């Protein structure tokens, strides 16, 4: 993102929305916590009110470690019926609250925790707001033995799927699976797209969050935090 001289940096915008998200945290209750650099600023802010919450349900090993290091209790998703709110970032968000997520490879647990929550509050800097999803390569978590076939299915749609690597080896998610990053998509009907790709054999989770869309987005802009309600 290009920033004018004197304008807040992307990191400052992330910190701004991380702090602003505290207003959505129900006191005395559990909070769902996402993953990523924007959420890290939220976790740091959450630590300042940790005595006022019951704890957190986390969407990744990385967020769990950060929460626990700051003294916030982390609960197993299986022990929780519902959460008032889930706070997470996004790689892209559109004007309906539909998102692409998974840049941090945590999309499967993110979707699970989001599904437990009454409300998804997305925190993002202004560069994440788009008119059509798909410029950011779409992360898809896959069972390793299915990755080549799934890549061919995306090729048939005119897109290009590439296995995500880490240190020259396929990245292994918290769930022991692989990630395909798919470029060349213009996702004009996110609900239909998510439903379609989710049915392909070997797809664990597609990084389109349409069924688990955001109801609120706190967008960090040079003019301050803008609240979008969907
Ligand atoms: C992780 C995610 C993140 O929310 C997304 O990648 C945004 O991350 P960041 O806040 O670092 O830009 O989906 O799987």
């Amino acid at each position: 993102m290009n920033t004018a001289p004197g304008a807040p940096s992307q990191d400052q915008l992330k910190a701004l929305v991380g702090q602003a998200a505290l207003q959505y945290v129900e006191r005395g209750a559990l909070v769902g916590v996402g993953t990523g650099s924007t959420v890290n600023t939220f976790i740091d802010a959450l630590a300042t009110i940790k005595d006022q919450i019951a704890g957190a349900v986390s969407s990744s090993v990385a967020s769990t470690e950060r929460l626990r290091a700051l003294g916030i209790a982390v609960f197993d998703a299986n022990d929780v019926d519902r959460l008032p709110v889930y706070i997470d970032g996004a790689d892209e968000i559109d004007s309906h609250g539909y998102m692409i997520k998974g840049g941090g490879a945590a999309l499967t647990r993110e979707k699970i925790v989001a599904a437990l929550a009454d409300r998804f509050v997305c925190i993002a800097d202004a560069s994440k707001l788009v008119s059509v999803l798909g410029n950011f390569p779409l992360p898809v978590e896959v069972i390793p033995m299915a990755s080549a076939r799934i890549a061919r299915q995306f090729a048939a749609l005119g897109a290009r799927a590439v296995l995500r690597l880490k240190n020259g080896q396929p990245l292994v998610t918290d769930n022991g699976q692989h990630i395909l990053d798919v470029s060349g998509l213009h996702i004009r009907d996110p609900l239909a797209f998510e439903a379609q790709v989710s049915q392909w054999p070997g797809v664990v989770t597609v990084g389109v969050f349409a069924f688990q869309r955001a109801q609120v987005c706190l967008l960090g802009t040079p003019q301050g935090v803008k609240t979008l309600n969907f």
Side-chain angles (χ1 to χ4, degrees):
M1 188 169 71
N2 292 327
T3 46
S9 67
Q10 199 172 13
D11 283 348
Q12 287 171 321
L13 295 180
K14 288 178 182 185
L16 208 59
V17 292
Q19 181 70 35
L22 287 185
Q23 67 190 289
Y24 289 88
V25 175
E26 194 175 298
R27 301 316 193 250
L30 292 168
V31 56
V33 175
T35 298
S37 57
T38 314
V39 163
N40 283 344
T41 72
F42 168 65
I43 294 174
D44 295 348
L46 193 62
T48 65
I49 59 157
K50 66 183 174 193
D51 297 336
Q52 299 171 46
I53 60 168
V57 176
S58 167
S59 62
S60 64
V61 171
S63 288
T64 297
E65 286 173 353
R66 194 177 188 98
L67 287 158
R68 289 201 168 129
L70 291 168
I72 299 169
V74 177
F75 291 80
D76 190 315
N78 283 312
D79 296 331
V80 174
D81 292 336
R82 62 166 280 275
L83 297 164
V85 69
Y86 175 67
I87 314 271
D88 199 357
D91 298 301
E92 288 184 346
I93 182 163
D94 73 9
S95 59
H96 301 283
Y98 299 141
M99 295 166 284
I100 284 183
K101 292 185 42 55
L107 62 164
T108 296
R109 296 188 189 194
E110 290 173 342
K111 212 174 256 193
I112 292 167
V113 184
L116 282 169
D118 296 340
R119 180 146 75 157
F120 189 137
V121 175
C122 176
I123 50 176
D125 66 81
S127 70
K128 308 289 183 70
L129 187 64
V130 299
S131 50
V132 178
L133 300 177
N135 194 41
F136 187 92
L138 174 70
V140 183
E141 184 163 358
V142 299
I143 303 286
M145 70 174 285
S147 61
R149 182 175 185 278
I150 293 166
R152 288 195 294 276
Q153 286 188 273
F154 278 115
L157 297 182
R160 180 166 179 267
V162 176
L163 195 60
R164 193 181 298 183
L165 302 179
K166 186 177 178 187
N167 303 325
Q169 296 297 317
L171 178 143
V172 178
T173 68
D174 286 352
N175 313 305
Q177 313 302 339
H178 289 172
I179 298 280
L180 290 173
D181 291 304
V182 186
S183 52
L185 293 166
H186 302 279
I187 305 171
R188 299 190 191 281
D189 186 344
L191 284 165
F193 185 90
E194 183 180 1
Q196 178 193 1
V197 175
S198 297
Q199 290 181 37
W200 293 355
V203 168
V204 178
T205 302
V206 57
V208 170
F209 281 53
F211 292 96
Q212 263 71 50
R213 70 179 176 88
Q215 280 73 44
V216 177
C217 179
L218 301 177
L219 202 64
T221 78
Q223 291 74 40
V225 178
K226 195 172 161 188
T227 304
L228 310 176
N229 291 290
F230 307 108

